[in-house]
């Protein structure tokens, strides 16, 4: 099967579906590649059409267990551009088994000083697809022009220019605006905490929806319930 045909097949498999982000943060009890593999199997059984995973060990473990489309990334650092920040990181994610490499496509400077186009080009030369994680409309348009295969609203609310949006829940206005302007699929991601919000994202034009915390992060979920109970208890 040719590369364009493989791309079309993968994007078709994801159209109108739920992708689940299976990640745990450093130091957490679930921060273990085999645990994330098991979480990925569990969400597959629940109906997820794809998985998003972080870290080379997790990507390898999940790739070996699942035949679902796999979006991979490598977080390196804790501020600025740290989601698959360089072409080196991007190629390693692809080599670990990711079908789609997710990377920070914001307008912030990259740690190696090289342009975003280098990372996109490296992944595509290696036969992979690129998901550009953006925070604004302008970044999404630019990423698509540079060759990104998908554009995700992942970072809206998490860059200095967009912090104000974080309290408002998922940025469905950005989803709709990008979906109306781009020829590449737009993926809704970021603060989607309910099934109703996920459905609404598709109604607003998203090709697919990524949900992470509300499905796969028990520490946060427990905190939501604990806070509600404490509020009643006074």
């Amino acid at each position: 099967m040719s590369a364009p045909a493989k791309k079309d097949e993968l994007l078709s498999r994801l159209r109108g579906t739920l992708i689940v982000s299976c990640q745990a943060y450093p130091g957490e009890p679930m921060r273990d590649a085999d645990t994330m593999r098991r979480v990925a199997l569990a969400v597959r059984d629940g109906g997820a059409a794809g998985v998003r995973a972080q870290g080379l060990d997790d990507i390898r473990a999940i790739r070996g267990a699942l035949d679902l489309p796999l979006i991979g990334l490598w977080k390196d650092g804790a501020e600025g551009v740290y989601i698959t920040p360089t072409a080196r990181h991007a190629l390693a994610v692809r080599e670990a088994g990711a079908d789609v490499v997710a990377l920070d496509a914001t307008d912030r400077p990259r740690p190696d000083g090289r342009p975003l186009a280098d990372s996109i080009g490296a992944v595509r030369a290696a036969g992979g697809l690129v998901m550009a994680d953006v925070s604004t409309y302008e970044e999404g348009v630019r990423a698509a022009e540079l060759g990104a295969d998908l554009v995700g609203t992942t970072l809206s609310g998490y860059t200095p220019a967009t912090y104000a949006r974080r309290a408002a829940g998922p940025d469905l206005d950005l989803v709709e605006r990008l979906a109306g302007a781009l020829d590449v699929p737009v993926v809704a991601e970021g603060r989607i905490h309910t099934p109703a919000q996920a459905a609404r994202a598709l109604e607003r034009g998203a090709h697919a929806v990524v949900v992470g915390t509300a499905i796969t992060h028990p520490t946060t979920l427990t905190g939501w319930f604990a806070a509600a109970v404490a509020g009643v208890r006074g």
Side-chain angles (χ1 to χ4, degrees):
M1 186 181 295
S2 67
K6 288 181 179 179
K7 173 181 174 178
D8 290 345
E9 179 185 2
L10 186 144
L11 295 179
S12 179
R13 290 178 67 183
L14 293 178
R15 183 180 293 112
T17 68
L18 172 68
I19 301 164
V20 177
S21 181
C22 301
Q23 300 184 43
Y25 298 105
E28 294 184 337
M30 293 178 65
R31 180 53 267 149
D32 170 78
D34 189 61
T35 299
M36 290 298 103
R37 177 186 68 83
R38 293 171 184 269
V39 171
L41 289 170
V43 301
R44 176 203 63 186
D45 292 350
V51 167
R52 178 166 162 132
Q54 190 284 129
L56 303 183
D57 290 342
D58 290 26
I59 293 166
R60 293 188 191 103
I62 293 170
R63 177 77 293 160
L66 291 179
D67 64 358
L68 297 180
L70 177 57
I71 301 171
L73 60 137
W74 177 1
K75 291 180 179 177
D76 191 4
E79 60 183 24
V81 174
Y82 64 87
I83 296 177
T84 322
T86 70
R88 175 180 66 86
H89 291 82
L91 283 174
V93 169
R94 170 60 180 158
E95 291 167 2
D99 302 298
V100 181
V101 177
L103 48 82
D104 184 315
T106 64
D107 60 8
R108 298 174 294 181
R110 309 182 74 77
D112 63 355
R114 295 173 64 184
L116 172 62
D118 284 4
S119 293
I120 293 175
V123 173
R124 299 199 62 178
L129 305 184
V130 173
M131 176 173 167
D133 290 348
V134 305
S135 67
T136 67
Y137 172 81
E138 292 77 14
E139 291 166 355
V141 170
R142 177 170 175 269
E145 291 173 345
L146 290 174
D149 301 283
L150 307 97
V151 171
T153 57
T154 316
L155 292 173
S156 175
Y158 300 98
T159 60
T162 64
Y163 284 151
R165 300 181 192 172
R166 194 182 309 181
D171 194 345
L172 300 186
D173 289 341
L174 180 59
V175 170
E176 183 172 21
R177 190 178 180 200
L178 286 170
L182 302 183
D183 292 328
V184 303
V186 174
V187 178
E189 182 173 8
R191 302 183 302 283
I192 297 173
H193 292 162
T194 69
Q197 289 174 336
R200 185 61 179 145
L202 291 177
E203 292 169 355
R204 299 283 291 270
H207 183 85
V209 179
V210 175
V211 177
T213 297
I215 296 175
T216 60
H217 199 253
T219 300
T220 298
L221 290 169
T222 301
W224 292 347
F225 282 89
V229 171
V232 172
R233 189 176 67 237

